[in-house]
Amino acid sequence: MGSSKAKSATASGATTRVVLPADCRIADLPGVKSELQAALITPAAELDASAVERIDTAALQLLAVFCREAGAKGHTVTWLGASTVLRDAAALLGLTQTLELPAATPA
Amino acid sequence: MSTVSLAQFHQTFFEESHEGLDAMESALLALDGGGDAELVHRIFRAAHSIKGGAATFGFPDMAAFTHEAESLLDELRDGRRAVDAGIVELLLRSVDCLRGMFARAQAGEPLADAHSEQLRQELAAAVGRDAAPKPGAAKRAEAAGTSAWLIRFHPHQGMLAGGNEPLRMFRELAELGALKVEPALEKLPALASLEPSDCHLGWTIELRGKVARAAIASVFDWVEGECDLVIEELVEAAPEPAPVATAPTVAAAASAPRASREAAAEASSVRVGIDKIDSLIDLVGELVITQSMLDTFREGFDAQRIEMLQHGLAQLARHTRSLQESVMGIRMLPIASVFNRFPRMVRDLGQKLGKQVKLDLVGEHTELDKTVLEKIGDPLVHLVRNAIDHGLETPDRRRAAGKGDIGTLRLEASHRGGSIVVEISDDGAGLNRDAIVAKALQRGLIGSAEGMSDEAVAELIFQPGFSTAATTTDLSGRGVGMDVVRRNVVDLGGNVAIRSVVGKGSVFTITLPLTLAIIDGLTAVVGDEHYIVPLASIVESVQLRGEALRTVTGGGELFRFRDGWLPIIRLHDAFGCASGARSEIEQGLVIVVEGEGARVGLFVDELIGQQQAVVKSLEANYRRVVGISGATILADGSVALIVDVAGLIRQQGRRKAA
């Protein structure tokens, strides 16, 4: 898990990686949003949500906005990992498809 | 969910809801006479809080019922439906029904009954949603739980920021049945312009399982007003029989549970405005300052500081007095809480009797002691009922008398001296002297009306068992008459009087003491005893000279007062405390008092002065004594009895008659 609340977007060439914090809820979203905005600049983005322990609707909405916009630009979004918490929440809100969450959790 | 007992909040919820229902009722009545959007909002808000509270505090039947009413109100609010008399009537009956539910809740009985269920279905039927669920279907669905619901849930932008989490709600929904969630993404903005705490998502949810509408609605209780919510039954069943139109038959049943509950489950708390509490705290602060100032005299006292001491004591007296007034003020509530029931009553009665009545309420903010307030309701209801039943005429009779079609009934409360005066006046036919006299003769109350003044005739209606209604309507003929009204008012230390002019109307005047807990009185000495005579009943006190006195056969004594003669009651005789009392009338004083509409002179040795007496119940501490209304403790620690003037006059009358 690690303390992933700090600066965690890392751009390497054409891909930007965004690591979502363990507590991914409304209060922490402004930071996540700016990282996602940065990730929109590069043609490919990697999202790492394996550390997410808590998540709320606002966060899922933010991710949905991001994924939709990236898709509209023809960018690729890859999930490096998605915790069960995030998957369950996304499923409950009917956002699994929008977020293009993969069926199983990669390591 | 934790298992904190919510029962401790029930009383508060009941009280607030009663206020809410009152507000709903008065707004509905105002709406009836042509309303505006704000009124609908007010009604909606009241219904909404009741619904939320009911769901929170575990009254699902009430929540389900209110939910239907609220849906109907929502349509009014959105302008999807125009306000008409039928809807107002339906909602008024719902208010009654909710009152019944609250009464049952307070008594710990099951909330829903056949009547509430029927009314709930009527409400549901009246909610004309695009494909309004047929009442038959709704009924079946509610009873057994339907198999499929469609929920359209569109949070307002600020809902997430308010701490309401759709995830939690969806989890609760998932516990009810199988969910199919379809998000609405159309409103999502671009990432750059997204404020993460705003909500732009919406959902359409399909819920399958045996679930009652109320159970679904309760999931969204906390976000009502923060979202657009539509819960529809997914109708897959065969069509049901035609919907029931608004059924007028329930109207009679609606009022039935109301009357019986009044006395039961009475709340024994007072809700106090924060301003009153603040003023109390201020005063206590002042008192503490004064106390510490006086405390400095403990260290040592010399004659030079006497002025300061006097100043301190005066301040103490002033603050104590203010504190007393403020504390008494806590028990004072505006009479509006009693007046508020009248618009509805007047409207219903007027309709029932085919009379047009305009009700004027004046001085609703006049404050009265809570105890007095609780007990004055029934007499007032009776007087208002009488005024509409007997006083005001039907429109054609009014026209024949050269008056407008609409009769006016006026309720006015005001402070007058140390009393509260409530006047119930109508511009109806006035008292019918001939009918009263005929009735009184028939009942043997009088031998002949020869030489009786109009006032004396009017007084007859306060006699037990008196009613002049030609036909017994369901309003009169209940076996409760004006005598009970007077008795109730007199028991409160007040009085009822009537003025009436034939063809012009009648005015009933009820005079009530401000409070029952403290009275202003004059301390009188009789022999070795002290008595307090309530200031409110004192006309004046006089020292008599021999020529003003007459003794009549039978031992009665009279004295000349202004233009008439009044009987004298010797207090030492009445209370049996002759030891040391003066027996010569010229040596003592006569206090002229008024009670029960009569004046008498009370003979006492001397008067000490005026003081406030904190009334202690004699009944609670000893037993009831005729002619004594209570006791108080004097500054020297001795007990003084408080004279019950009306009781004394009654007793004296009986003694004379015997």
Side-chain angles (χ1 to χ4, degrees), chain A residues 33 56-57 61 69 92-94, chain B residues 165 183 191-192 194 198 200 203:
Chain A
K33 180 190 161 185
D56 61 9
T57 305
Q61 174 182 254
E69 209 160 317
L92 208 51
L93 295 185
Chain B
E165 184 48 65
L191 182 61
L194 174 73
D198 284 349
H200 302 280
W203 290 271

Side-chain angles (χ1 to χ4, degrees), chain B residues 323-515:
Chain B
L323 188 64
Q324 182 195 358
E325 273 164 17
S326 293
V327 172
M328 297 316 295
I330 287 185
R331 288 184 58 89
M332 302 298 265
L333 298 171
I335 200 166
S337 60
V338 173
F339 274 10
N340 282 345
R341 69 174 87 167
F342 291 118
R344 174 72 187 281
M345 202 185 101
V346 167
R347 173 183 178 275
D348 290 355
L349 281 184
Q351 276 181 357
K352 202 180 255 174
L353 297 169
K355 295 178 181 178
Q356 295 183 29
V357 189
K358 180 163 127 334
L359 178 68
D360 280 346
L361 296 177
V362 182
E364 296 136 286
H365 299 297
T366 308
E367 292 193 326
L368 259 175
D369 187 274
K370 184 174 151 63
T371 319
V372 181
L373 206 57
E374 279 167 359
K375 293 188 178 150
I376 199 60
D378 289 339
L380 278 180
V381 165
H382 201 81
L383 288 173
V384 167
R385 218 185 248 156
N386 266 349
I388 300 173
D389 197 14
H390 306 306
L392 292 172
E393 317 93 321
T394 51
D396 35 325
R397 283 186 57 188
R398 287 186 67 87
R399 270 194 299 271
K403 294 193 254 192
D405 282 12
I406 303 172
T408 305
L409 181 64
R410 186 180 159 93
L411 282 175
E412 179 172 2
S414 59
H415 278 273
R416 219 170 278 173
S419 309
I420 298 285
V421 176
V422 185
E423 280 192 347
I424 301 101
S425 51
D426 64 69
D427 64 347
L431 289 184
N432 184 339
R433 183 187 162 110
D434 296 341
I436 293 170
V437 167
K439 188 76 162 202
L441 287 171
Q442 181 203 329
R443 294 273 156 110
L445 295 173
I446 50 168
S448 128
E450 206 73 24
M452 277 182 83
S453 66
D454 283 352
E455 288 75 42
V457 171
E459 273 293 310
L460 287 172
I461 65 167
F462 291 109
Q463 295 293 321
F466 197 94
S467 170
T468 59
T471 51
T472 306
T473 63
D474 71 337
L475 307 173
S476 61
R478 282 167 192 247
V480 182
M482 296 300 296
D483 57 319
V484 179
V485 170
R486 172 167 278 181
R487 176 55 50 90
N488 275 324
V489 174
V490 167
D491 284 351
L492 288 171
N495 197 15
V496 196
I498 176 169
R499 281 197 322 275
S500 176
V501 181
V502 175
K504 289 271 196 311
S506 317
V507 182
F508 286 88
T509 309
I510 300 183
T511 313
L512 293 165
L514 263 180
T515 172

Side-chain angles (χ1 to χ4, degrees), chain B residues 523-651:
Chain B
T523 312
V525 181
V526 180
D528 306 329
E529 304 287 335
H530 287 86
Y531 289 93
I532 310 269
V533 183
L535 213 53
S537 50
I538 296 179
V539 181
E540 65 176 81
S541 61
V542 287
Q543 185 140 36
L544 293 179
R545 285 191 305 273
E547 60 266 30
L549 278 170
R550 288 285 152 81
T551 309
V552 291
T553 34
E557 287 174 298
L558 298 176
F559 70 100
R560 186 162 190 84
F561 181 70
R562 295 180 190 163
D563 296 330
W565 293 87
L566 298 180
I568 292 179
I569 298 176
R570 290 170 178 251
L571 275 194
H572 61 90
D573 279 347
F575 295 138
C577 53
S579 92
R582 293 172 197 172
S583 55
E584 292 302 314
I585 298 247
E586 288 98 324
Q587 288 170 8
L589 277 174
V590 169
I591 311 169
V592 182
V593 292
E594 197 170 31
E596 293 264 289
R599 283 181 176 180
V600 298
L602 299 181
F603 173 64
V604 300
D605 293 355
E606 60 178 312
L607 291 175
I608 295 182
Q610 186 184 333
Q611 76 163 82
Q612 283 208 319
V614 179
V615 181
K616 309 270 182 197
S617 164
L618 204 59
E619 230 168 313
N621 296 308
Y622 174 52
R623 63 180 173 84
R624 196 176 165 80
V625 179
V626 176
I628 300 290
S629 61
T632 193
I633 295 164
L634 297 176
D636 64 0
S638 66
V639 173
L641 298 175
I642 301 164
V643 177
D644 170 16
V645 171
L648 203 59
I649 292 174
R650 272 204 299 271
Q651 185 206 24

